Amino acid sequence: MKVVEEQPLSVPDQASYAATAKPSKVRYVVLSMLLVATILNYVDRSALGIVAPSLSKDLALDRMQMGELFAAFGLAYSFALLPGGLLTDIVGSRLAYALSLVGWSCATLTQGLANSYHMLLGSRFAMGALEAPAFPSNARAVTLWFPTRERGFATSVYVMGQYIGTPLFTGLLLWISSAYGWRSVFFATGAFGIFFSLVWFRAYRDPSRHRSVNAAELQYINEGQGRPSQKAREKFNWRIAFKLLGYRQVLAICLGKFCNNTLLVFFTTWFMTYLVEARHMSMIKVGIFQALPFMGATLGILVAGSLSDFFIRRGVSISAARKAPLIIGTLLGATIVFVNFVESNELVIAILTIAFFAQGVGSMSWAAVSEIAPPQYVGLTSSITSLAANIAGVTTPLMIGYITHHTGHFYWALNLMGAICLLGTLSYSLLLGKLSRIEL
């Protein structure tokens, strides 16, 4: 399919105009759209976990089957990430994101129609594959729209969407499920996603083609490697992906993201079941307590992004400023094991909030990817590292489902997640090395 790009706007005497005019703030409007899209992304993928207790009872599904349903999303998502990143590099964030949004929203709707394990499984596979272009599109848009000194903050804002959707909407979705049945949750979230896909396609453009951007903001964005160079992109072949994997920076971020993402997957899949079945909390308590860890993770990603940019402005190297949150956050994520040694539900939630706060800090790896990606392959590099992270979307649900099915409790599953976090800390601290732009 041939994609026809709009021509950049012509601005008379652009250089002198940019020197005197006040920069517009369109990049923050774009960032707000990325945030909404990411919230929707994670609300849709988390909806199954929210309704899992009632859905599994209604369809007579055991823990192994629920683990397989959670993992189906991650498996399809992982396989589709490289094609999704390539699609983003070819057609741009505008079209790639619009297609992804409408596709995964339709797959979300079909989950509400499911009357068997196999139909749910097919819907989860489709949803995982269709969400794949989302984060490469996020990374490409942020790289194009924000200068280096703001990129950490911008990254933290859209990544924050992973966490704030659950505390904001879980109560509402639980009420919808209670009042109208678990199927209505999928109908509501899927319908909103289709609507937002139209909003995105209508409103988003790259900076040079956006009618509301003035020359001063374009100049500001372009300062300090604010967007990838215009080096011509070579014809794609799969050897480029394998070549990228030969760089220790890419390998280290892949391993670190996988380990850090293990905690995120737990909170977006088995967390509600853990509170209800392992901690025997009522739905009222679950509605209150489940929000706290997600609020902690939201704070973690915002603190990490803001401090990372602050240290860069103060003269700290980009490498040190971007690596510190990865090492500290992934290490502290291992504190999740302490819930195995306390009885108080309030203390359990406090520990889980600290662990998820740390996971949010460690999620700053997206900013590190933006610093090392070859200019002409931002989407592909993002997809490779995201693929590694989302292997955890397959292994974590299956691991927890298998362990809890055979042992009847979460003890060893939580201990294993703590050990995985320690492995990620070693990857970021010993293998990653200095962050620098890869030139192919």
Side-chain angles (χ1 to χ4, degrees):
M1 178 179 66
K2 184 178 180 180
V3 178
V4 180
E5 297 281 4
E6 298 179 24
Q7 294 301 313
L9 296 177
S10 175
V11 180
D13 198 11
Q14 190 169 10
S16 61
Y17 176 76
T20 58
K22 184 178 180 180
S24 53
K25 302 291 184 181
V26 178
R27 63 191 182 281
Y28 296 115
V29 177
V30 170
L31 186 58
S32 68
M33 290 196 297
L34 294 177
L35 174 60
V36 171
T38 305
I39 290 173
L40 182 59
N41 185 301
Y42 270 80
V43 167
D44 283 355
R45 71 172 69 179
S46 303
L48 180 63
I50 292 171
V51 301
S54 56
L55 178 148
S56 59
K57 183 179 180 180
D58 189 27
L59 299 182
L61 304 177
D62 61 30
R63 287 188 178 181
M64 286 287 289
Q65 288 175 311
M66 288 305 300
E68 290 165 1
L69 289 173
F70 289 135
F73 173 92
L75 182 64
Y77 187 79
S78 298
F79 276 113
L81 274 169
L82 287 180
L86 178 58
L87 176 69
T88 301
D89 283 331
I90 293 174
V91 306
S93 294
R94 182 191 180 210
L95 182 56
Y97 224 144
L99 293 173
S100 180
L101 268 163
V102 73
W104 93 59
S105 298
C106 289
T108 300
L109 282 169
T110 64
Q111 292 178 80
L113 301 173
N115 55 14
S116 68
Y117 164 80
H118 292 98
M119 187 171 179
L120 271 175
L121 189 68
S123 297
R124 294 291 291 180
F125 268 118
M127 185 179 172
L130 293 165
E131 280 198 13
F135 269 74
S137 295
N138 284 344
R140 182 182 182 278
V142 164
T143 304
L144 285 172
W145 276 96
F146 287 86
T148 298
R149 59 182 172 273
E150 292 184 358
R151 202 173 290 156
F153 168 76
T155 299
S156 69
V157 168
Y158 80 73
V159 173
M160 182 177 67
Q162 297 178 167
Y163 310 110
I164 65 174
T166 296
L168 284 177
F169 297 106
T170 293
L172 174 62
L173 296 180
L174 285 172
W175 175 81
I176 291 174
S177 178
S178 176
Y180 303 102
W182 58 265
R183 297 178 188 278
S184 59
V185 170
F186 297 113
F187 296 150
T189 55
F192 183 79
I194 293 172
F195 165 75
F196 189 73
S197 69
L198 300 176
V199 174
W200 171 268
F201 190 73
R202 176 69 179 84
Y204 180 84
R205 299 291 189 281
D206 287 345
S208 62
R209 296 177 172 85
H210 201 294
R211 294 186 178 277
S212 298
V213 176
N214 64 13
E217 185 174 17
L218 281 175
Q219 179 175 302
Y220 178 78
I221 289 170
N222 291 334
E223 290 175 357
Q225 297 181 338
R227 59 179 181 178
S229 73
Q230 300 302 310
K231 179 181 177 180
R233 187 172 57 83
E234 302 168 5
K235 184 177 180 181
F236 176 79
N237 62 70
W238 287 104
R239 287 181 296 176
I240 296 172
F242 290 108
K243 187 174 181 180
L244 285 169
L245 284 171
Y247 288 86
R248 62 181 288 183
Q249 293 173 299
V250 176
L251 281 175
I253 291 177
C254 283
L255 178 57
K257 283 174 74 71
F258 164 80
C259 295
N260 182 264
N261 210 47
T262 296
L263 288 186
L264 175 61
V265 174
F266 164 73
F267 280 100
T268 56
T269 56
W270 284 104
F271 178 50
M272 297 288 284
T273 302
Y274 173 75
L275 296 183
V276 173
E277 298 184 5
R279 288 294 166 176
H280 309 293
M281 294 188 189
S282 67
M283 293 307 294
I284 294 177
K285 280 192 174 182
V286 168
I288 297 172
F289 284 157
Q290 59 79 27
L292 296 177
F294 285 89
M295 292 170 63
T298 301
L299 179 62
I301 187 62
L302 287 177
V303 167
S306 298
L307 286 179
S308 181
D309 285 348
F310 170 79
F311 286 124
I312 289 174
R313 290 193 295 268
R314 288 302 181 98
V316 177
S317 71
I318 290 177
S319 182
R322 298 298 193 223
K323 281 178 60 178
L326 309 185
I327 297 170
I328 296 170
T330 308
L331 176 62
L332 289 179
T335 57
I336 194 172
V337 301
F338 293 134
V339 300
N340 286 327
F341 307 103
V342 298
E343 296 295 331
S344 165
N345 284 336
E346 289 76 12
L347 193 53
V348 165
I349 292 298
I351 293 170
L352 291 174
T353 300
I354 293 170
F356 210 12
F357 168 86
Q359 195 280 332
V361 172
S363 292
M364 274 300 296
S365 53
W366 281 107
V369 172
S370 293
E371 305 299 349
I372 69 167
Q376 69 275 37
Y377 290 113
V378 175
L380 179 61
T381 309
S382 299
S383 293
I384 291 171
T385 57
S386 187
L387 185 156
N390 283 281
I391 292 174
V394 181
T395 59
T396 304
L398 290 177
M399 171 193 75
I400 296 175
Y402 179 84
I403 292 174
T404 57
H405 180 77
H406 289 281
T407 66
H409 52 74
F410 281 80
Y411 179 84
W412 287 110
L414 293 167
N415 284 341
L416 184 54
M417 283 191 284
I420 290 171
C421 287
L422 295 180
L423 176 62
T425 305
L426 292 175
S427 179
Y428 283 138
S429 58
L430 300 181
L431 180 60
L432 182 54
K434 182 179 179 181
L435 295 180
S436 59
R437 183 75 61 190
I438 294 172
E439 296 291 342
L440 292 181

